Amino acid sequence: MPLVTAQTPYDYRINSYSLHFEVLDENMVKETIEVELTANTSLSQYVFYSDYPVENPDAIVSINGKTIIANVSTNVITGNINAVYVNFPELGKGDMAKIRITFYTSGVLQDTDGKKQFAYYIKFSQPVGYFYVRLYVPRGYAVLTPIIPSPNKLESRENSLILEWSRENLRGNEEFYFIVGFSNPIKKGFDLRVLFVLVFLAFIGGFYAGMLYRERKKGKPEILKSDEERVIELLKNGPMLQSELVKRLNVSKAKVSILLREMEEKGFIERIKEGRNYLVKLRE
């Protein structure tokens, strides 16, 4: 795993983060993640975490303009959190990389009152320069309202619908979610006038969808970072002093302090004051 210096708590800077979802049928979605980052230290691995199943992942990495097929592996970290590891030639400080991960999943589709619903939630652990989401709904499915939040762009293309969201300069720990409902497959073509109805009803349905989102978010695990994964693995053997974790992780005291405080806020660990130190253990 790459290490960071005391000057920055992050291994890399995320310049842009894009998500592309293509609904293939009522049970499967193709998801593509595109990340453009600048390394703050030596870096040879990027890890994507999800709390839903990931099938047949592959990745392409472009380093300073040179494209390679990356080595990809997966693992279940804890509970239902899945990790996709993307390994590539080592980046030096200041090097730029564009990482494209593609896989298939059914985890973002849910059944609600006999209808399908696409629901996605993400929380970034560090700032992001530009964030973009694109959802492609194929021919034969009717989109139901409310759509929350209202998309920045709605486009009808050959009886299909494309929804887009975008944000700039996201702060660390900022959240993003969207909810889109689908009816059963229909035979009639998509009416362009429906676009205007969708936008109008999306605003009306804001309160309802917000309540639904908060209910779905309850009990939803936070996304782990690679260093958080290492802490969990160490604590599986029993409680450990924070000073010992500093030695085991081989990073600065400041980095460990920030890391443990974030993990405590997420509910993964608890710290017990012991003199001038802390005893750290996994939360039961």
Side-chain angles (χ1 to χ4, degrees):
M1 292 291 178
L3 305 177
V4 298
T5 63
Q7 283 72 34
T8 173
Y10 307 119
D11 298 341
Y12 47 80
R13 181 175 71 252
I14 301 179
N15 306 316
S16 65
Y17 193 101
S18 301
L19 294 165
H20 301 261
F21 300 97
E22 180 180 355
V23 178
L24 301 178
D25 56 42
E26 61 182 8
N27 297 310
M28 189 61 64
V29 170
K30 179 180 179 181
E31 180 175 346
T32 300
I33 302 161
E34 295 180 344
V35 184
E36 181 179 302
L37 57 84
T38 301
N40 289 327
T41 186
S42 298
L43 186 69
S44 60
Q45 185 182 74
Y46 178 83
V47 188
F48 167 76
Y49 296 95
S50 76
D51 59 355
Y52 50 83
V54 172
E55 300 180 19
N56 303 320
D58 58 45
I60 297 176
V61 179
S62 177
I63 300 176
N64 296 327
K66 183 178 180 180
T67 302
I68 63 169
I69 304 297
N71 178 268
V72 180
S73 60
T74 60
N75 188 30
V76 177
I77 304 304
T78 179
N80 61 345
I81 297 180
N82 296 269
V84 178
Y85 301 93
V86 181
N87 298 288
F88 42 81
E90 186 173 287
L91 302 177
K93 184 177 181 180
D95 284 343
M96 293 185 61
K98 294 181 179 179
I99 303 169
R100 180 186 177 97
I101 307 170
T102 301
F103 55 84
Y104 299 86
T105 183
S106 59
V108 292
L109 294 176
Q110 301 166 350
D111 289 301
T112 304
D113 297 328
K115 299 180 178 64
K116 283 290 181 180
Q117 186 174 74
F118 189 104
Y120 191 86
Y121 167 79
I122 186 170
K123 181 177 181 180
F124 289 101
S125 59
Q126 66 186 82
V128 176
Y130 179 73
F131 177 57
Y132 171 83
V133 180
R134 179 180 184 271
L135 174 62
Y136 173 80
V137 184
R139 180 196 305 265
Y141 288 87
V143 175
L144 306 176
T145 54
I147 302 174
I148 298 299
S150 180
N152 296 89
K153 182 179 180 181
L154 278 168
E155 179 182 353
S156 177
R157 186 181 301 172
E158 296 181 354
N159 290 335
S160 299
L161 184 65
I162 297 174
L163 301 90
E164 297 180 353
W165 296 263
S166 61
R167 301 286 187 274
E168 294 184 1
N169 300 319
L170 275 70
R171 302 181 300 274
N173 292 323
E174 193 160 345
E175 303 172 321
F176 180 83
Y177 71 93
F178 65 94
I179 301 173
V180 180
F182 301 91
S183 73
N184 294 326
I186 57 176
K187 295 181 179 180
K188 295 182 179 180
F190 187 84
D191 190 340
L192 184 61
R193 291 172 297 179
V194 174
L195 290 175
F196 299 99
V197 178
L198 289 174
V199 174
F200 176 72
L201 292 179
F203 285 103
I204 295 177
F207 177 76
Y208 165 77
M211 293 291 291
L212 179 61
Y213 158 72
R214 284 190 286 272
E215 287 300 315
R216 290 192 180 281
K217 185 182 171 186
K218 289 179 181 178
K220 195 176 186 68
E222 297 282 356
I223 302 303
L224 289 167
K225 296 186 294 184
S226 57
D227 288 332
E228 292 175 338
E229 177 187 336
R230 296 171 65 197
V231 170
I232 288 176
E233 288 299 319
L234 289 171
L235 295 180
K236 283 182 179 179
N237 297 320
M240 188 176 297
L241 290 175
Q242 183 167 320
S243 57
E244 181 64 21
L245 281 171
V246 172
K247 297 177 183 178
R248 295 288 191 92
L249 295 171
N250 194 26
V251 296
S252 69
K253 292 181 180 179
K255 171 66 181 292
V256 173
S257 180
I258 294 172
L259 179 65
L260 295 180
R261 184 173 66 250
E262 291 178 349
M263 292 183 70
E264 191 171 29
E265 291 174 353
K266 294 176 181 179
F268 285 120
I269 65 167
E270 57 180 317
R271 294 187 296 172
I272 302 172
K273 185 73 172 179
E274 290 197 354
R276 303 175 67 178
N277 208 335
Y278 284 97
L279 180 68
V280 186
K281 64 179 183 177
L282 293 175
R283 187 179 295 277
E284 299 178 354

